[in-house]
Amino acid sequence: MSANEASEHRTSSARKQSASTSAPPPPSPSFILRGHEATVTALEFFASNTFLVSGDESGWVCIWDIWKRRQVYKWHGHPSGPILALKPIPYKMHPPEPRGKLCASSIRQLGENQEQEQEQEQVYIASHGRDNEIHVWDVNTILQRSLRLSGRARTHGAAMDQERLTPVFSLPVNAMNFCGMSILAVETTTQSQQQQMREKGHDREPSSKSDPSSLSKTHRHIYLAVPSPTTSTLIDVYDIVKPERTFASVGYDNNSGNGNELDRKWGSVMAIQLFRKKVVSLDRLTLEGGSEPDLDIGTLHMLAGYEDGSVMLFQENIPVSVSTGQQLSGQTLKQKRKMDALWSIKCHRQPVLALDISSDLSFAVSTGTDNILAKYDLFSQVQGVPEVTKVALKSNGITGTKIRKDDKIIGMAGWDGRVRIYSSKTMKPLAVLKYHRERLDCLDFAAVQDREHPIEGSVTEQRNSLLSYEASSSASIQSSDISRAESNQSVDSESSSGEDSDMEDAYEERRQWSRRHWIAVGGKEHRISLWEIY
């Protein structure tokens, strides 16, 4: 080796060593949440990123307060089987007009909340277990109690575990395979509609677990898709507000054969995603008498992944001629509602395990037991086949896949214990998060909050919701209690002012936390890692 070559070799080695020493250290989780005693199988952020719900293989469901980094409630939602899926269903509850006399503090609170129209941001939690049951839980009392304690010590006793949580609605379904449910809640009821229900006497407690009266007060439709109980390849779609089965045996073609032939062709359905896209204007859809059909503002779509590696897109077939404006009766419209396949493509050599759809509904991604990440352009087809981009990963087995709400990055939880972050635009790797040593089963991104366009159910709305809740609770005080409350008002004024100050500080801190870009990951190690990424 000449002197010049030796000098160049030393310079190159020095550059490599300098680059390695200046490289940032690998990221590590911000917090570790411990509370499960079995494999964590599902988790979801909700309530503007300040709460997290998680489920495990033993059927337990936990609610975590992210600001406190603690578990605030835990219940055995599905004692006979593991949790397959969890889904928060947010809604706005408009409180009724106060009746009777109000104490001075209640009048002041009601006046402060008039500008906010006294809308309470609330949420249901839907859970799907392998015990052939889907439950819908009302957890708002738990959340509001945790919010009340925000201004006090972050560590509080087991008072929140004293109440037993019971579902407001339950639905028996098929859980023969490991496919979790998909839920799409649309058309929340308005303030006038909720008031009409109260006047008609619909504002009552449900008479049984299968009584959907609580759901009908807040939504017009909540669609739920699960595998069919007759054939694991087919999919049934329910509207649990009615309740009724809106679409039966989706994927079945009378000309293709019976259900056993479908099983041999596609295998069991492994992943489902419901969404709706406005492709037909309701201005063109009229029924006899000039009334509008009972359809959502948009057409229902469903993406399904199968055991043979195929992915299919279905679309609701609306039996109305847009060009002629053909009028149909409501009965005919109900009978002819069905879902047809738009396209089918096979990008995976092995079963599909996870699907997700972008917030703008322009693309979807799928992963499976192989090492393929596939991206589908949902509504751009060439000869009936969508445009697809495939990327080969370095490891097989991706159980959980999510697209962040800003549609910029994709997160994948793998069997090798690593979380891979990819760019959704270039489909190139951005980061690998290493902490877990065993299999990962689920992950979720916190909703990215834009200051100009804040996410629904922001922390400020949570604060106003809590004040409205307390005001409406105070409005129900009986007349015999009002005098006693007013006599104690002067005694409690000093302590309440201090608590209000602490609560304001706590809400401001919660507001800052809700803007962080969290990603939560769970798996076989019984713990949840919480990361803050770009």
Side-chain angles (χ1 to χ4, degrees), residues 78 82-85 126-136 169-183 210 222-232 234-240 243-245 247 272:
H78 296 267
I83 302 295
L84 294 177
S127 62
H128 182 194
R130 204 149 186 249
D131 57 353
N132 300 318
E133 291 281 350
I134 289 178
H135 298 308
V136 179
F169 177 78
S170 296
L171 180 71
V173 295
N174 168 37
M176 292 186 296
N177 53 11
F178 290 91
C179 178
M181 66 179 177
S182 177
I183 284 186
S210 60
I222 300 179
Y223 294 111
L224 184 150
V226 289
S228 172
T230 58
T231 305
S232 59
L234 305 180
I235 304 169
D236 289 341
V237 181
Y238 297 85
D239 186 351
I240 61 176
E244 65 181 12
R245 187 169 61 175
F247 302 96
I272 307 172

Side-chain angles (χ1 to χ4, degrees), residues 7-24:
S7 176
E8 291 178 359
H9 178 72
R10 287 193 298 270
T11 302
S12 177
S13 299
R15 288 176 179 174
K16 291 181 180 179
Q17 184 176 3
S18 175
S20 62
T21 56
S22 61

Side-chain angles (χ1 to χ4, degrees), residues 361-404:
L361 307 180
S362 62
F363 68 93
V365 294
S366 67
T367 55
T369 58
D370 55 12
N371 66 333
I372 298 298
L373 167 63
K375 176 184 176 182
Y376 309 87
D377 192 330
L378 287 177
F379 298 98
S380 177
Q381 302 179 34
V382 178
Q383 296 181 351
V385 178
E387 297 182 8
V388 180
T389 304
K390 295 196 295 184
V391 175
L393 307 175
K394 293 184 178 181
S395 178
N396 291 353
I398 303 296
T399 310
T401 300
K402 287 291 182 69
I403 304 171
R404 198 167 68 177

